[in-house]
Amino acid sequence: MTATEQQQIFNQWLKQFQGLIFKVVRAYTTEVVDRDDLFQEICIQLWRSIPGFKGKSAASTWIYRIALRTAITWQKKERKERSRNEQYASQQPILHSPPEPDDRLDWLFKEINQLDQVDRSLALLLLDGLSYKEIAEVMGISESNVGVKIYRVKQRLMRRAKLLETNGL
Amino acid sequence: MDFEDLQKVWNQENNQPMYVFDQEALNRMVARRARSVSRLAAINEWGMITVALITCVLLILTGSDGAYRILAAVVMLGTGVYVWWQRQQRLSRQRTLGKAVAQEIDQAVANAQYLVRFARTFSYWFLLPTAAVTLFRMSRKNPDLWQWGLIIGCFILSYALVQLELRWKHLPRLRRLEELRSKIMS
């Protein structure tokens, strides 16, 4: 694969699936500087993964895998080390927040942020409407295991939503 | 509010951009990092392999102390082979980037276990034999006390650094990954 072809696929994926990447980034970070860093890290991994993509699974499944595994194993510490090594600190951020955030969406992301790393992935995939089979494929676990975990995540989110309503927020 | 309502809130995001990003800056960053990281890794690996092999050949062809020379040459050759093997591992990881999350974590756990094992046994297969040979050679030349102190100090420092790295870097990482694996599998 030539560098131009790789670049074309990368741009196409980014255009088509940027929403998916943004969701993962937002679910796994709280600080603006971390968001930018994780976004860059996912993009780098995505770029590197392109020659290995043979089209056996859907591009969205592939991108979810790359994005989630990068987010799960990503640490703030790595950013600090890299910024020392590569002088990222002096560079402008690539990712910018939108001018008008949605309060309810903010609340939902805050709740997702409070889940553990694995449950965060499941919550994202569940809310995005993936089937148990697709979630199992992305996560690499059995469908029955997905079912058990999803039930737990769903219950927690519902409990928190009810609490929000009870408090009249 | 039921789960379908949560999903409606979630789906709003699909219709509006969550972030704005500079595509050109991103492309530049990706190209630069992808290039620099792989180039740097390749230079490091081939540099170490070349130095190890040249040193190995020089040790075999020159020098006077037979036992030390052969041991040092074997260690150098081993270092070169080890770096080459690490390179193959790195390239193989790159080829299998699209694995599922659980398999990726399994792979990360295996790598972390390897590094822990390597750091734990480093003293036995490298530091002790090297120290034994070096100290034996020194003893035949009647060095000063400070020279003994310096050499022994260097070996102690190497041991301490490896142990510190093990304690502060490899073991915490392994624990974190194992915890992650047990979460995903439970």
Side-chain angles (χ1 to χ4, degrees):
Chain A
M1 175 180 285
T2 65
T4 316
E5 286 170 337
Q6 193 172 0
Q7 183 70 56
Q8 277 170 354
I9 294 172
F10 178 70
N11 288 344
Q12 189 195 327
W13 279 2
L14 215 55
K15 193 176 168 188
Q16 202 176 343
F17 301 107
Q18 56 178 263
L20 182 160
I21 300 171
F22 290 159
K23 284 175 194 168
V24 173
V25 167
R26 191 160 171 191
Y28 278 87
T29 56
T30 48
E31 294 172 35
V32 176
V33 67
D34 292 334
R35 280 178 197 169
D36 202 63
D37 187 58
L38 181 56
F39 177 67
Q40 291 189 29
E41 195 54 38
I42 290 172
C43 287
I44 290 281
Q45 296 302 325
L46 216 53
W47 167 273
R48 284 188 185 146
S49 78
I50 290 170
F53 179 67
K54 306 292 178 206
K56 285 178 187 167
S57 58
S60 58
T61 307
W62 179 271
I63 292 165
Y64 249 132
R65 280 178 181 173
I66 303 283
L68 288 176
R69 77 153 181 84
T70 307
I72 285 177
T73 52
W74 174 84
Q75 280 182 299
K76 288 181 183 183
K77 189 166 67 73
E78 290 171 9
R79 170 177 63 79
K80 286 173 189 158
E81 281 173 4
R82 272 211 312 277
S83 60
R84 269 202 305 274
N85 295 340
E86 301 181 23
Q87 296 175 333
Y88 278 138
S90 62
Q91 290 173 14
Q92 292 294 313
I94 285 173
L95 210 56
H96 304 279
S97 296
E100 292 172 17
D102 182 317
D103 285 345
R104 289 182 310 164
L105 198 60
D106 266 352
W107 171 83
L108 191 49
F109 269 110
K110 273 181 193 144
E111 290 303 323
I112 292 171
N113 271 139
Q114 286 172 20
L115 298 170
D116 72 42
Q117 287 163 309
V118 174
D119 285 351
R120 262 185 253 183
S121 299
L122 292 164
L124 289 180
L125 298 167
L126 177 70
L127 286 164
D128 258 352
L130 271 75
S131 67
Y132 282 16
K133 192 182 172 198
E134 288 169 317
I135 295 175
E137 201 186 321
V138 170
M139 299 299 287
I141 53 179
S142 67
E143 275 185 64
S144 56
N145 199 351
V146 167
V148 174
K149 286 177 191 296
I150 288 291
Y151 177 77
R152 220 167 43 205
V153 171
K154 232 176 182 174
Q155 289 298 309
R156 184 190 156 120
L157 286 176
M158 294 301 301
R159 221 174 25 244
R160 298 290 298 173
K162 280 201 174 76
L163 199 66
L164 189 77
E165 279 181 333
T166 311
N167 292 336
L169 297 172
Chain B
M1 194 187 279
D2 55 21
F3 190 75
E4 280 66 37
D5 293 325
L6 287 181
Q7 223 155 7
K8 276 178 202 155
V9 171
W10 183 257
N11 287 336
Q12 284 176 9
E13 191 279 327
N14 293 331
N15 303 321
Q16 60 187 30
M18 194 184 289
Y19 299 110
V20 180
F21 69 96
D22 182 343
Q23 174 87 46
E24 278 190 22
L26 179 71
N27 284 344
R28 278 198 304 274
M29 183 279 299
V30 168
R32 189 184 63 240
R33 272 190 61 189
R35 228 182 9 243
S36 69
V37 170
S38 60
R39 192 192 295 153
L40 196 68
I43 289 171
N44 272 340
E45 287 157 355
W46 283 116
M48 286 175 76
I49 291 169
T50 309
V51 168
L53 292 180
I54 289 174
T55 313
C56 172
V57 171
L58 286 177
L59 281 165
I60 291 168
L61 297 177
T62 59
S64 55
D65 193 331
Y68 173 78
R69 217 158 30 94
I70 290 167
L71 181 67
V74 169
V75 169
M76 279 297 127
L77 186 65
T79 307
V81 170
Y82 171 72
V83 175
W84 179 81
W85 180 76
Q86 286 284 70
R87 177 182 159 76
Q88 297 309 312
Q89 294 280 307
R90 182 177 68 79
L91 295 175
S92 154
R93 272 197 301 275
Q94 271 184 17
R95 282 191 291 271
T96 54
L97 265 176
K99 283 186 292 191
V101 175
Q103 276 83 60
E104 187 63 36
I105 292 171
D106 276 345
Q107 178 70 50
V109 168
N111 287 343
Q113 280 171 340
Y114 167 78
L115 286 172
V116 165
R117 221 173 21 247
F118 182 86
R120 274 188 177 144
T121 58
F122 172 77
S123 314
Y124 303 112
W125 60 263
F126 183 78
L127 212 54
L128 278 178
T130 314
V133 173
T134 308
L135 296 178
F136 173 71
R137 289 190 77 219
M138 275 182 77
S139 69
R140 291 161 66 185
K141 293 176 180 172
N142 294 322
D144 293 338
L145 200 61
W146 69 267
Q147 286 175 312
W148 279 110
L150 184 70
I151 297 297
I152 292 172
C154 282
F155 281 117
I156 292 173
L157 184 66
S158 305
Y159 177 77
L161 287 175
V162 170
Q163 292 307 308
L164 276 178
E165 194 181 32
L166 176 68
R167 187 172 298 176
W168 295 108
K169 188 178 170 187
H170 300 318
L171 281 174
R173 182 163 187 269
L174 177 61
R175 270 196 292 270
R176 193 173 60 82
L177 287 167
E178 282 178 338
E179 201 179 306
L180 205 57
R181 182 167 64 178
S182 74
K183 262 183 206 162
I184 207 166
M185 292 304 175
S186 65

